[in-house]
C-alpha cells in the first residue's frame, strides 16, 4: 500500500483497554494532541472485557510493591471516578472464606497485610458471622475475612465512559489499527518527536511520548525500544455467568483463602444483578485465543462448589474467557519509563489488581507525561460526565417523561434487559463508533440477557442498518471478519429505513377506567383468550409488544397449522390472520399494539381492588387497572449460554427462531453450511428451509435417544431432504475466531445422557442452529408473585388455569410449551372464559371471586414428566370437563394413560383409562374426563402403562401420538 503521510502528535496511547482509556481521560486535563491506537474494533477488547469486575480493597498485594501502592490508591479513587463518569459501581464488600486451619492462618496473614498496605475496614470473622452475612455459603466454612471497601463495577463501562469523555475533549480514537512497529527517532526530529509508530493500516505517527497499554502485547512494544526486556505470560481465566435470578444468592464478593492448593475461585454478584464464578488460571502460548475449554469450565464449577455447594450448569447463561498479562519474571506491575527510553511510558504486566489500580495509575502516568512535555492545563476540562439513566433503572414517572420527549423510549427491543430503541440509537450515534453487534451489546446490554439475543438480535440488526446503512452481512458480530449473516438482500438498508416505526398508534382512543380482563401477549393463546373473554361479555384489553398481532406465527411461513382448530392446513401467517379476524368480529376488545408489559401488581382480594398492569409504548408509561389478567407471554428459546459449550464465541451461532426471523422476515441467509443442534420443531423446519434456499445442512444432532420434534416434521423436513438425524449426539465445542469454522460433536450415553469420551469428531461448518428447547417466558408472572412449576417453568394453575395469585390466569407457551398451536389457542379460550367469569364475580362483589377454594393436587406418576393443571378446584361442577395436558418421560409403545384418584385414607381408584398407539416426549397428550369423576378425591395421579420399545420401532408405526381422550 502507499505510505500514509506522517502525523505529528504529542502522545500516542497504544491500547484502549481500561489502562489506555483511563489514561486518555486523565490526559484530557492537559492541552495535548492525543491519539489512541487500538488493534480491536472497540474499547476494552482484551482483558478489560473479560474479567471479574472486582474493585479490590487492597489487602492481598505484597507490601511495598507497585500493586500494593496503586491498588490502595485506585480503590480510594473509584467512588470519585464513578460519580464523575457515571459507570456502575457498588461497594458490596469482600469476603475471604477459610475451610481449614491452614486457611485460617492465611486469613490472619491477610488481615495483617491489609494494615501494612494502609487498607482500613478489614477484620477477621468467625464461622457464625460469615454464615450470617452469606447464608448460601458452604456450611463447612470455619471463618473468614471481611473487607468493607471491596466493590464491584462494570469494567467495560469504566473503559467506555473514560474513552468517551476523552473523545469529547479532543482525543482521537483509531480502531482496527494495530501498532506493527515502534522505533526511536533521532534527536531533532519533527515536533521534537521521539518515537515513530506504524500501524496495520499503513498510518504513521511521530509522537513526543508513548503510553504502552497494549495488554498482553506490551512486552513486544517495550522490547522494541528498550534493553530492559519484559516477558509477559498470557494466563487464561475462564468464567461462568448465571441468570439474574441467581444474583441475590450472594451479596458480597466471596473469595477462597489461599492455601497450598491455590487461590481457588470467586463467587460474586455483578453490578447488573447476575452471579459470576471463576476464574481459573492457565498459562498459554497464544495471546489471542479466548476459547474456553471443557476441562477449565469443569474446574471452575467444581472449585466454586467449595464456596457455593449448589454451583452447577443450571441457571447458567454464558461462559467466557479472558487473558491476563502477567509478569513472567515476577509478580508486579511495570509502570513508567525505562531509563533507556525516555518518553516511553509502560503500563505493562497489568494483571490483577489492574482494574482497581487503573484510575490511580492513569493519573500518575498522565501527570508524568504532562510534566515531561511541559503541557498546559486544559481549563475547559469537565470532570463530570452526564450519564443517561438506563430505561431498566427508571421508575414509571421517569419512563413517562422520557417517552414524551422521544417515543422510541417506549419501544422495548431487548425484553430480557429492558433495553429500548432510544438507547440503541443513542449508542449508535455516541462519540465512539459502533463497529460490531457485540459493541452495541456491551454499550446497551441488549442481547446480554438469558436469551442471548434470540428475540432481539434480528430487530437490532435492522435498527443498525436503518441508522448506519450497514447491512447484517457486513456488520460484524464481534471481531473483524465475523459477519452476522452470510448474505442479505441488496436493498436491506433501504428497506430498513422505509420500515421505520410510526409514532401514531390510536393515541386518542378512549379506554375504560377499569377493564374486566387484560391479556398480556398477542400470540395465538392471547388472541384466543381475548376473544373468549369478550364473548362472555367482558371489556377486554389485549396488549402485545409487536406492532402486528400473531407472535411467532408471523415468521412461520411453513404449513401445518390449523388442522385441529380450523380443519384445514394453514401457514403460520394464515392461522394468525384467521385469529385476528375473529378477534375483530368479537368486538369489545381494545388492542394496545407495540406495548411491552413490564409488570403486574396483584390486587387486594380482601377489598376487591383490581390488578394493575404496567406497560410502555410510544405514547408513554401506562398503569392499567383490570379485574383479571391473562398471561399469554409465550416462551423463549434456550440460548447458547445455557449449554455451557466450550470454545470461542464466533458469529454464525443462532437460535433456530432468530435464524427463522432473519430468513423469513428479513430476507437474509444465515449461513451456507449448517449443523443443527437439537431436533425441536423449529430446528427441523429450519433444516428444510435452509436446504430449500441452497444451503447445505450437514446434519441434525440430538442429545436424547429420541427426537424432540413432531414425527411428521422429522419425515417432512429431514427424511424428504436427505438430512441425517443423529440421536444420542451433541455438540461439545465451537471453533472459529471470527466466523464459526467448525463444531465438534460427541456421542452421548443414552442412559446417563453424558458425553462418551473419545468419540469427538470435527465437522466443518459456518453456521450452528440451536433448537434445544423452549422455556416459558414468565418475568411478568414473577413480578406478580405467581408461583412457578420447576418442571414446566410455567405457572402452577388449577383446572380453570387460575394461578395462585387471585385474578391472574395463564395459558399457552407461558404455561407450558405446546407442540401444536391449535392446542395453545384452545387453552387460551379456556383461560379467557375463566378470567371473564372471575371478573364478573369481582365486579358484583361476590365473595366467590375472592374466597380460597379447596385444591386437589394433580400429580405426575410413573413415566409422566408433568401434568397441567397442577390442581383441581374441588368446587368444580361435576359435569364440567377436566382437561389434563401431559408429556411422557420416555417413548412408550401402546401406552395406557391411567388417571387415578386417591382418597384421604390412601385408597386408590381408577378414574379413567385412555390409550393410543404411541407416546413420545415431543408430543403433548390430552386426557379429558368429567370433574365429577374426581369427587371425593384428596389427590389425582396420572401414570402410564406400556411396553418399552426402541425409537426405531415407534417410528415404524407411523401413527399419531397425541389426543388421547
Amino acid at each position: 500500500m502507499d505510505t500514509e503521510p506522517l502525523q505529528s502528535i504529542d502522545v500516542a496511547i497504544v491500547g484502549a483497554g481500561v489502562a489506555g482509556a483511563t489514561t486518555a481521560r486523565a490526559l484530557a486535563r492537559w492541552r495535548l494532541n492525543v491519539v489512541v491506537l487500538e488493534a480491536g474494533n472497540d474499547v476494552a477488547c482484551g482483558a478489560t472485557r473479560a474479567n471479574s469486575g472486582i474493585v479490590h480493597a487492597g489487602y492481598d498485594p505484597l507490601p511495598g510493591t507497585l500493586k500494593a501502592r496503586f491498588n490502595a490508591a485506585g480503590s480510594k479513587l473509584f467512588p470519585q471516578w464513578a460519580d464523575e463518569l457515571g459507570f456502575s459501581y457498588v461497594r458490596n464488600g469482600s469476603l475471604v472464606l477459610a475451610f481449614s486451619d491452614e486457611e485460617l492462618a492465611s486469613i490472619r496473614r491477610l488481615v495483617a497485610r491489609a494494615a501494612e498496605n494502609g487498607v482500613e475496614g478489614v477484620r477477621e470473622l468467625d464461622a457464625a458471622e460469615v454464615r450470617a452475612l452469606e447464608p448460601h455459603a458452604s456450611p463447612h466454612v470455619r471463618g473468614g475475612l471481611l473487607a468493607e471497601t471491596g466493590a464491584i463495577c462494570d469494567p467495560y463501562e469504566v473503559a467506555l465512559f473514560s474513552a468517551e469523555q476523552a473523545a469529547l475533549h479532543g482525543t482521537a480514537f483509531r480502531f482496527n489499527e494495530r501498532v506493527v512497529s515502534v522505533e526511536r527517532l533521532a534527536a531533532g526530529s519533527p515536533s521534537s518527536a521521539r518515537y515513530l509508530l506504524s500501524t496495520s493500516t499503513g498510518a504513521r505517527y511521530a509522537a513526543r511520548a508513548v503510553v504502552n497499554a497494549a495488554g498482553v502485547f506490551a512486552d513486544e512494544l517495550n522490547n522494541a525500544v528498550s534493553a530492559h526486556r519484559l516477558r509477559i505470560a498470557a494466563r487464561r481465566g475462564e468464567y461462568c455467568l448465571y441468570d439474574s435470578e441467581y444474583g441475590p444468592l450472594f451479596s458480597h464478593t466471596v473469595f477462597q483463602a489461599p492455601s497450598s492448593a491455590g487461590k481457588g475461585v470467586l463467587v460474586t454478584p455483578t453490578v447488573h444483578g447476575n452471579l459470576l464464578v471463576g476464574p481459573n488460571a492457565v498459562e498459554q502460548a497464544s495471546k489471542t485465543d479466548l476459547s474456553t475449554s471443557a476441562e477449565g469450565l469443569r474446574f471452575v464449577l467444581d472449585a466454586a462448589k467449595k464456596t457455593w455447594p449448589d454451583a452447577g450448569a443450571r441457571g447458567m447463561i454464558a461462559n467466557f474467557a479472558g487473558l491476563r498479562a502477567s509478569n513472567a519474571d515476577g509478580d508486579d506491575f511495570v509502570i513508567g519509563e525505562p531509563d533507556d527510553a525516555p518518553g516511553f511510558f509502560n503500563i505493562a504486566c497489568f494483571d490483577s489488581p489492574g482494574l482497581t489500580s487503573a484510575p490511580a495509575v492513569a493519573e500518575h502516568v498522565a501527570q508524568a507525561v504532562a510534566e515531561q512535555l511541559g503541557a498546559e492545563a486544559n481549563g475547559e476540562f469537565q470532570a463530570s460526565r452526564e450519564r443517561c439513566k438506563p430505561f431498566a433503572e427508571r421508575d414509571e414517572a421517569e419512563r413517562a417523561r422520557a417517552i414524551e420527549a422521544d417515543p422510541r423510549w417506549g419501544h422495548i427491543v431487548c425484553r430480557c434487559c429492558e433495553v429500548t430503541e432510544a438507547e440503541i440509537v443513542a449508542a449508535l450515534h455516541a462519540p465512539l463508533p459502533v463497529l460490531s453487534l457485540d459493541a452495541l451489546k456491551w454499550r446497551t446490554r441488549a442481547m446480554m440477557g438469558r436469551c442471548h439475543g434470540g428475540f432481539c438480535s434480528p430487530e437490532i440488526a435492522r435498527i443498525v442498518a436503518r441508522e448506519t446503512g450497514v447491512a447484517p452481512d457486513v456488520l460484524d458480530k464481534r471481531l473483524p471478519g465475523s459477519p452476522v449473516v452470510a448474505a442479505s438482500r441488496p436493498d436491506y438498508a433501504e428497506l430498513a429505513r422505509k420500515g421505520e416505526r410510526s409514532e401514531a398508534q390510536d393515541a386518542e382512543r378512549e379506554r375504560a377506567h377499569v377493564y374486566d380482563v387484560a391479556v398480556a401477549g398477542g400470540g395465538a393463546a392471547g388472541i384466543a383468550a381475548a376473544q373468549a373473554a369478550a364473548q362472555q361479555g367482558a371489556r377486554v384489553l389485549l396488549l402485545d409488544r409487536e406492532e402486528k398481532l400473531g407472535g411467532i406465527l408471523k415468521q412461520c411461513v411453513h404449513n401445518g397449522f390449523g388442522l385441529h382448530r380450523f380443519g384445514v392446513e394453514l401457514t403460520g401467517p394464515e392461522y394468525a390472520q384467521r385469529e385476528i379476524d375473529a378477534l375483530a368480529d368479537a368486538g369489545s376488545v381494545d388492542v394496545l399494539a407495540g406495548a411491552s408489559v413490564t409488570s403486574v401488581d396483584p390486587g387486594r382480594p380482601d377489598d376487591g381492588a383490581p390488578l394493575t398492569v404496567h406497560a410502555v409504548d410510544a405514547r408513554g408509561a401506562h398503569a392499567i387497572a383490570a379485574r383479571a389478567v391473562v398471561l399469554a407471554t409465550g416462551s423463549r428459546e434456550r440460548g447458547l449460554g445455557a449449554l455451557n459449550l466450550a470454545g470461542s464465541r464466533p458469529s454464525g451461532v443462532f437460535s433456530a427462531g432468530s435464524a427463522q426471523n432473519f430468513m423469513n422476515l428479513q430476507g437474509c441467509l444465515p449461513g451456507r453450511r449448517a449443523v443443527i443442534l437439537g431436533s425441536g420443531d423449529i430446528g427441523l423446519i429450519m433444516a428444510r428451509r435452509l436446504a430449500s434456499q441452497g444451503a447445505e445442512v450437514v446434519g441434525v444432532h440430538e442429545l436424547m435417544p429420541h427426537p424432540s420434534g413432531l414425527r411428521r416434521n422429522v419425515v417432512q423436513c429431514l427424511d424428504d431432504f436427505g438430512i441425517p438425524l443423529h440421536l444420542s449426539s451433541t455438540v461439545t465445542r465451537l471453533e472459529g475466531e471470527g466466523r464459526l469454522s467448525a463444531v465438534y460433536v460427541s456421542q452421548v450415553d443414552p442412559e446417563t445422557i453424558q458425553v462418551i469420551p473419545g468419540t469427538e469428531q470435527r465437522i466443518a461448518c459456518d453456521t450452528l442452529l440451536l433448537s434445544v428447547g423452549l422455556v416459558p417466558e414468565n418475568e411478568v408472572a414473577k413480578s406478580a408473585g405467581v408461583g412457578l412449576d420447576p418442571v414446566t417453568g410455567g405457572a402452577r394453575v388449577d383446572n380453570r388455569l387460575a394461578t395462585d395469585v387471585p385474578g391472574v390466569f395463564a395459558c399457552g407457551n407461558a404455561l407450558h410449551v405446546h407442540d401444536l398451536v391449535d392446542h395453545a389457542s384452545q387453552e387460551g379460550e379456556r383461560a379467557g372464559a375463566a378470567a371473564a367469569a372471575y371478573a364478573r364475580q369481582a365486579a358484583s362483589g361476590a365473595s366467590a371471586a375472592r374466597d380460597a377454594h379447596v385444591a386437589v393436587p394433580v400429580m405426575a406418576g410413573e413415566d409422566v414428566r408433568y401434568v397441567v393443571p397442577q390442581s383441581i378446584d374441588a368446587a368444580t361442577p361435576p359435569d364440567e370437563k377436566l382437561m389434563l395436558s401431559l408429556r411422557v418421560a420416555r417413548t412408550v409403545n401402546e401406552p395406557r394413560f391411567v388417571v387415578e384418584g386417591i382418597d384421604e385414607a390412601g385408597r386408590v381408584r381408577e378414574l379413567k383409562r385412555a390409550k393410543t398407539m404411541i407416546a413420545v416426549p415431543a408430543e403433548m397428550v390430552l386426557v379429558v374426563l368429567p370433574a365429577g369423576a374426581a369427587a371425593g378425591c384428596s389427590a389425582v395421579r396420572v401414570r402410564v402403562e406400556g411396553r418399552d420399545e426402541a425409537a426405531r420401532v415407534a417410528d415404524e408405526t407411523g401413527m399419531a401420538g397425541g389426543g388421547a381422550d
Side-chain angles (χ1 to χ4, degrees), residues 817-861:
V817 174
H818 294 62
D819 43 89
L820 292 177
V821 71
D822 309 57
H823 291 162
S825 294
Q826 181 185 47
E827 197 171 76
E829 287 180 336
R830 292 163 53 205
Y838 179 95
R840 190 163 51 246
Q841 291 176 322
S844 67
S847 61
R850 299 187 293 274
D851 290 344
H853 294 159
V854 175
V856 178
V858 179
M859 303 179 296

Side-chain angles (χ1 to χ4, degrees), residues 196-412:
L196 174 65
L197 297 91
S198 300
T199 74
S200 54
T201 66
R204 298 185 305 145
Y205 300 88
R208 298 169 64 200
V210 173
V211 177
N212 176 18
V216 291
F217 298 99
D219 55 349
E220 299 175 19
L221 296 185
N222 173 85
N223 297 345
V225 299
S226 173
H228 299 287
R229 317 295 282 180
L230 294 181
R231 286 196 309 124
I232 287 179
R235 289 197 172 94
R236 184 177 75 246
E238 293 163 272
Y239 295 87
C240 296
L241 182 70
Y242 288 84
D243 190 85
S244 56
E245 67 182 73
Y246 288 78
L249 293 180
F250 288 85
S251 57
H252 296 77
T253 298
V254 184
F255 300 88
Q256 297 167 359
S259 69
S260 55
K263 283 192 173 184
V265 302
L266 61 82
V267 177
T268 182
T270 72
V271 289
H272 299 299
N274 301 90
L275 191 69
L276 182 69
V277 302
N280 57 354
V282 180
E283 189 168 326
Q284 64 181 41
S286 173
K287 291 184 175 183
T288 59
D289 184 4
L290 295 175
S291 301
T292 56
S293 66
E295 299 77 16
L297 296 174
R298 270 197 304 271
F299 170 86
V300 166
L301 289 178
D302 289 344
K305 291 179 186 293
K306 184 178 180 181
T307 296
W308 176 33
D310 293 333
R314 185 178 180 84
M316 197 180 302
I317 63 170
N319 66 60
F320 61 91
L323 293 182
R324 285 163 273 175
S326 299
N327 192 333
D329 297 314
D331 188 28
D332 204 3
F333 300 152
V334 176
I335 307 294
E337 300 168 280
D339 58 18
D340 60 347
F344 189 92
F345 295 84
N346 279 311
I347 306 178
C349 305
F350 207 50
D351 58 358
S352 182
L355 172 62
T356 309
S357 304
V361 169
E363 292 190 357
H364 169 78
V365 170
Q367 181 71 39
V369 171
E371 289 177 358
Q372 187 173 108
L373 299 186
E376 296 179 1
N378 181 4
E380 298 177 357
F381 177 78
Q382 297 291 326
S384 295
R385 169 189 181 276
E386 185 177 354
R387 175 179 183 255
C388 183
K389 191 175 185 180
F391 182 84
E393 298 177 12
R394 299 186 181 209
D395 61 30
E396 195 162 282
E398 291 172 322
R399 291 179 174 189
R401 287 194 296 270
I403 296 168
E404 184 178 6
D406 181 352
R408 292 175 297 188
W409 281 98
H411 176 208
I412 295 179

Side-chain angles (χ1 to χ4, degrees), residues 620-799:
H622 307 282
I624 299 158
R627 296 185 177 93
V629 172
V630 178
L631 301 176
T633 48
S635 60
R636 60 177 172 84
E637 297 175 279
R638 282 193 174 90
L640 178 65
L643 306 180
N644 201 26
L645 288 183
S648 53
R649 305 183 74 181
S651 66
V653 181
F654 302 86
S655 68
S658 63
Q660 186 181 55
N661 187 310
F662 271 121
M663 284 196 78
N664 296 349
L665 297 184
Q666 302 199 36
C668 298
L669 182 66
R672 292 186 168 85
R673 180 177 166 87
V675 169
I676 297 177
L677 175 60
S679 57
D681 288 313
I682 299 179
L684 299 176
I685 289 162
M686 283 306 297
R688 177 177 64 186
R689 185 81 173 96
L690 284 166
S692 68
Q693 294 300 305
E696 179 184 3
V697 182
V698 183
V700 176
H701 295 261
E702 169 58 53
L703 177 73
M704 302 302 291
H706 51 74
S708 298
L710 296 170
R711 281 166 293 147
R712 75 177 188 213
N713 282 334
V714 173
V715 173
Q716 295 174 4
C717 300
L718 301 187
D719 297 348
D720 290 354
F721 285 81
I723 299 170
L725 172 63
H726 305 279
L727 299 175
S728 297
S729 176
T730 191
V731 174
T732 53
R733 185 157 54 104
L734 307 181
E735 178 186 294
E737 287 293 315
R739 182 79 185 186
L740 182 71
S741 57
V743 298
Y744 290 79
V745 300
S746 296
Q747 296 176 22
V748 175
D749 187 311
E751 297 295 327
T752 64
I753 316 299
Q754 297 297 312
V755 169
I756 301 173
T759 62
E760 189 175 74
Q761 290 184 319
R762 181 182 184 274
I763 301 176
C765 60
D766 68 356
T767 305
L768 173 66
L769 262 58
L770 304 174
S771 183
V772 291
L774 300 173
V775 180
E777 185 61 49
N778 273 307
E779 290 309 296
V780 176
K782 291 177 187 176
S783 74
V786 170
L788 302 182
D789 187 293
V791 178
T792 64
R796 297 181 62 84
V797 296
D798 67 11
N799 54 299

